[in-house]
Amino acid sequence: MYTQAMDQPNSPQDGLRSVPGASDSRQTEFDARMDSDRKIEPQDWMPEAYRKTLVRQISQHAHSEIIGMQPEGNWISRAPSLKRKAILLAKVQDEGGHGLYLYSAAETLGVSRDALLDALHAGKAKYSSIFNYPTLTWADVGVIGWLVHGAAIMNQVPICRCSYGPYARAMIRICKEESFHQRQGYESLMTQMKGTPAQREMVQDAVDRWYWPVLAMFGPPDADSPNSAQGMRWGIKRISNDELRQKFVDATVPQAAILGVTLPDPDLKWNEARGHHDYGAIDWDDFWAVVNGNGPCNKERLATRVKAHEDGQWVRDAALAYARKQQARALREAA
Ligand code: BYC
């Protein structure tokens, strides 16, 4: 539903890879590897700024996955049937798994998982703005599947072609699972739209609350995106924030029509000349307030995350003790 061809050509800026001042043979090899679209692997030399950008983006992405378990996790005990509960459990568990693949990918860049988690728990690390909004009704779970995961797929399929091997490979599996998440959300909403007038109103209300924050998920407009230009040159980002947002709007309009909901944007209309939908202004002040910690649920999300980490300390201690015991036994047997 949301695919972009994996063989799509790279940005015209892709020749501009070098970091000013770094002109040794290792930089030349790095540039050549990227120009020929070969992956950079953990053992390869890379510019420090490239490494830092990847650590920033991959860790933010990992944090988003594990914080992203909370809004829907809130509904596991209240899912309306055993089938819906089983689906939701599997989906939330997948998100935990995505976080783990991504922390592992970040660790290949020489940063420890503990350091990344400390930054999250101290409120210093970013995670996606979208998870700071509340899930008020069961319809929110469907809308998160349809729109939030739909946006995630739109953003993440191009990352399967990221220049850094471990991140690109993690994204292939993640995108397959995201596709299931998106479809289960849409299917759940389809069922609700065939229900009572009250259920249809509940779906429309959820769409009204989530639509604009989802459009902001793609990040600030290209002109105000400080990381985009370099991220594109390095093949970390393949498609710009605004282009992805536009693709998402174009894909969502016909899906909303099939579902029978109205997207809450009076300025949304097809522009024949552009071959795309025009859409209204996004409230960037609201977006930055949320990113800077002042959204409706930021404090609750972080507090829940820190508590879960602290409550899980005994599990990590037990796993470490067991691993040490196994290691000691293996050494004894080898002696
Ligand atoms: N929320 O220069 P820009 C998921 C920050 S997981 C918060 O455009 P960049 C899912 C940005 O970090 C969703 N902050 O940055 C999971 C930067 O700050 P710093 C997450 C945002 O990196 C479970 C500043 O604004 N997806 O979908 O070039 C269940 C300037 O932005 C946001 C990923 O992480 C935001 N929405 O582009 C369901 C995918 N947007 O770091 C769903 C990988 C921007 O300079 N990440 N900022 O302090 C990316 O593709 C890119 O990092 C972004 C931002 C497009 C998000």
Side-chain angles (χ1 to χ4, degrees):
M1 220 176 224
Y2 286 106
T3 54
Q4 288 114 26
M6 304 273 279
D7 56 356
Q8 197 157 315
N10 295 336
S11 142
Q13 303 173 11
D14 276 6
L16 310 168
R17 304 201 196 276
S18 300
V19 170
S23 58
D24 61 18
S25 60
R26 293 175 308 174
Q27 178 73 58
T28 309
E29 163 60 20
F30 175 85
D31 291 347
R33 197 174 270 269
M34 288 234 212
D35 286 337
S36 58
D37 235 350
R38 280 177 297 148
K39 300 280 181 237
I40 305 296
E41 296 297 340
Q43 69 276 13
D44 296 330
W45 181 87
M46 62 189 81
E48 182 56 15
Y50 174 81
R51 193 187 70 82
K52 280 195 174 148
T53 297
L54 281 167
V55 170
R56 179 183 65 80
Q57 180 167 325
I58 301 173
S59 62
Q60 285 177 1
H61 194 165
H63 300 328
S64 302
E65 297 283 356
I66 55 167
I67 297 279
M69 298 168 78
Q70 291 184 37
E72 293 163 282
N74 182 32
W75 277 91
I76 291 172
S77 60
R78 291 177 286 162
S81 69
L82 182 59
K83 176 182 139 186
R84 295 288 174 200
K85 190 195 285 272
I87 293 172
L88 188 56
L89 259 176
K91 174 176 180 292
V92 171
Q93 225 166 17
D94 281 354
E95 283 153 14
H98 297 174
L100 299 185
Y101 312 149
L102 290 165
Y103 284 125
S104 299
E107 282 177 305
T108 65
L109 292 154
V111 61
S112 77
R113 190 175 303 203
D114 284 345
L116 298 176
L117 286 173
D118 284 350
L120 174 66
H121 298 158
K124 291 184 193 148
K126 288 194 171 71
Y127 60 86
S128 183
S129 49
I130 198 68
F131 302 117
N132 293 304
Y133 294 88
T135 38
L136 304 179
T137 68
W138 172 248
D140 288 35
V141 173
V143 170
I144 289 178
W146 173 38
L147 295 180
V148 175
H149 288 267
I153 297 169
M154 196 57 91
N155 166 271
Q156 292 173 16
V157 168
I159 307 176
C160 298
R161 295 186 294 114
C162 166
S163 58
Y164 188 58
Y167 191 25
R169 289 189 288 274
M171 289 317 302
I172 292 171
R173 174 151 178 190
I174 290 175
C175 285
K176 287 184 182 164
E177 292 175 352
E178 289 294 355
S179 185
F180 149 66
H181 297 168
Q182 194 269 347
R183 277 153 197 265
Q184 67 79 35
Y186 196 70
E187 191 269 338
S188 168
L189 292 178
M190 275 292 203
T191 306
Q192 291 172 58
M193 289 301 285
K194 288 182 198 137
T196 62
Q199 282 175 306
R200 284 194 285 280
E201 270 169 37
M202 191 169 77
V203 172
Q204 183 62 57
D205 173 65
V207 171
D208 291 347
R209 284 181 289 106
W210 287 93
Y211 180 72
W212 288 106
V214 167
L215 289 196
M217 255 178 93
F218 292 95
D222 294 349
D224 304 324
S225 161
N227 302 305
S228 274
Q230 188 62 60
M232 301 277 274
R233 285 183 202 123
W234 276 327
I236 295 171
K237 254 176 133 152
R238 296 290 190 177
I239 304 184
S240 81
N241 299 358
D242 284 331
E243 276 181 86
L244 288 172
R245 194 168 8 250
Q246 181 71 66
K247 277 171 178 279
F248 176 77
V249 170
D250 290 340
T252 301
V253 169
Q255 293 167 15
I258 292 169
L259 201 54
V261 294
T262 306
L263 297 173
D265 178 359
D267 297 322
L268 185 63
K269 61 175 182 308
W270 177 250
N271 181 327
E272 191 64 46
R274 290 201 310 120
H276 291 291
H277 292 86
D278 291 336
Y279 56 91
I282 294 170
D283 183 348
W284 291 111
D285 290 340
D286 178 66
F287 169 78
W288 287 116
V290 174
V291 172
N292 291 323
N294 300 314
C297 300
N298 293 59
K299 289 179 184 61
E300 181 188 329
R301 297 287 184 246
L302 211 52
T304 303
R305 172 66 211 150
V306 170
K307 181 174 184 313
H309 189 71
E310 285 167 358
D311 290 351
Q313 186 61 47
W314 71 270
V315 179
R316 292 189 295 281
D317 290 345
L320 273 176
Y322 181 72
R324 279 194 207 104
K325 209 167 106 183
Q326 293 290 94
Q327 200 178 23
R329 181 179 297 160
L331 281 174
R332 264 201 318 276
E333 282 170 8

